[in-house]
Amino acid sequence: MTVSPFVVSTVNVNGVRAATRKGMLPWLETTDAHAICLQETRANDGELTKALAPALDSGWHLASAEPSAKGRNGVAILSRTAPDAVRVGIGAEEFADSGRYIEADFGAVTVASLYLPSGEVGTERQEEKERFMAAFAKYLAKAAKAAGAADRDVVVCGDWNIAHTENDLKAWKTNRKNSGFLPEEREWVSALLTGKAPWTDVVRELHPDVEGPYSWWSYRGKAFDNDAGWRIDYQFATVALAERAKEAVTERAEAYDQRWSDHAPVTVRYR
């Protein structure tokens, strides 16, 4: 049985070992989330378990997809209860060991943690991002269809590395030719939200027609102080679950020196 309300958080930790040194563990002590999706852990399973040992000792359960490349990628899910099942990957051989996707079942809800590749226009990194996007779109279409047939709910949380609309980043005018805000990337997101088995951008549904709420700010300059950020950390849910979302909060630190990642946790409360 899935608890109600069911609270889900997602955050790119920008290196779990650094995050736990900077303040992530006290945050875990105070959050009321039932499941927390982590991205960019940059740790193998041993390093991840060691970094999160105090949380695991206090009762949290951990499922992870460690990266094959040392110090890169890595996704995980922390949960109050042990998941019923865990699956890693999106069925694409190229990304099988990349540590970019993991999903876990909790009763009738599947919670997934995604770290979509970042890109750079004109480079192999952008080509890799586009290959992942193509494979992931197919995976999401199948997942939504399967969830509907089985009367299940799915929420895919994570760092999608794409700002969908002009309201999703402060400096959109100067980023129109940069990866993360390219027209074809934005159209890809739109297709996910309007396809035959559509997904719902839960945070945007609860915060329509406003700038942000941003979830990532560069460490450079005064981006955080000026709230010159990007909203790239999403919770995309199947329709029935999205209709149960009643509150979405981006847990922005009160001050620059209180940040334990360059991303803020994005937390949604589902009925």
Side-chain angles (χ1 to χ4, degrees), residues 89-108:
I90 60 172
E93 184 176 353
E94 177 182 0
F95 303 107
D97 301 318
S98 62
R100 291 193 177 277
Y101 185 83
I102 186 172
E103 62 185 30
D105 296 338
F106 302 93

Side-chain angles (χ1 to χ4, degrees), residues 77-133:
I77 299 173
L78 283 168
S79 56
R80 302 281 185 182
T81 59
D84 303 322
V86 175
R87 294 170 294 277
V88 173
I90 60 172
E93 184 176 353
E94 177 182 0
F95 303 107
D97 301 318
S98 62
R100 291 193 177 277
Y101 185 83
I102 186 172
E103 62 185 30
D105 296 338
F106 302 93
V109 178
T110 296
V111 177
S113 182
L114 164 74
Y115 180 44
L116 196 142
S118 59
E120 184 178 351
V121 173
T123 71
E124 161 58 27
R125 289 179 60 203
Q126 188 65 26
E127 294 173 1
E128 177 191 20
K129 182 177 185 178
E130 292 169 358
R131 291 194 302 272
F132 187 96
M133 289 163 58

Side-chain angles (χ1 to χ4, degrees), residues 61 73 88 96 112 117 138 167 182 189 191 206 237 252-253 257 268:
H61 297 262
N73 308 337
V88 173
K138 294 178 181 178
N167 276 340
L182 297 174
V189 174
L206 293 173
R252 187 180 189 272
D257 61 2
V268 177

Side-chain angles (χ1 to χ4, degrees), residues 85-210:
V86 175
R87 294 170 294 277
V88 173
I90 60 172
E93 184 176 353
E94 177 182 0
F95 303 107
D97 301 318
S98 62
R100 291 193 177 277
Y101 185 83
I102 186 172
E103 62 185 30
D105 296 338
F106 302 93
V109 178
T110 296
V111 177
S113 182
L114 164 74
Y115 180 44
L116 196 142
S118 59
E120 184 178 351
V121 173
T123 71
E124 161 58 27
R125 289 179 60 203
Q126 188 65 26
E127 294 173 1
E128 177 191 20
K129 182 177 185 178
E130 292 169 358
R131 291 194 302 272
F132 187 96
M133 289 163 58
F136 194 49
K138 294 178 181 178
Y139 183 85
L140 288 176
K142 293 179 181 177
K145 184 177 180 180
D151 196 24
R152 294 186 56 81
D153 297 310
V154 184
V155 57
V156 181
C157 307
D159 181 353
W160 291 66
N161 267 314
I162 300 171
H164 181 210
T165 71
E166 294 172 5
N167 276 340
D168 294 320
L169 75 162
K170 189 74 170 184
W172 64 267
K173 291 182 180 179
T174 57
N175 280 286
R176 285 174 289 186
K177 296 183 179 181
N178 292 332
S179 183
F181 197 61
L182 297 174
E184 56 269 32
E185 295 175 334
R186 298 169 60 197
E187 290 169 4
W188 180 82
V189 174
S190 293
L192 298 179
L193 303 177
T194 59
K196 292 183 179 179
W199 295 80
T200 299
D201 179 347
V202 175
V203 175
R204 180 53 72 211
E205 285 290 307
L206 293 173
H207 297 275
D209 303 320
V210 299

Side-chain angles (χ1 to χ4, degrees), residues 14-84:
N14 194 23
V16 70
R17 287 166 289 183
T20 53
R21 290 194 301 268
K22 293 178 181 178
M24 179 183 173
L25 292 173
W27 176 78
L28 286 174
E29 293 176 356
T30 59
T31 182
D32 64 349
H34 297 97
I36 303 173
C37 297
L38 310 179
Q39 302 87 44
E40 208 171 356
T41 61
R42 300 182 187 175
N44 61 35
D45 285 346
E47 294 165 336
L48 181 63
T49 300
K50 183 177 179 180
L52 294 173
L56 301 179
D57 289 343
S58 70
W60 285 96
H61 297 262
L62 175 65
S64 68
E66 62 181 356
S68 57
K70 183 176 176 61
R72 294 182 57 200
N73 308 337
V75 291
I77 299 173
L78 283 168
S79 56
R80 302 281 185 182
T81 59
D84 303 322

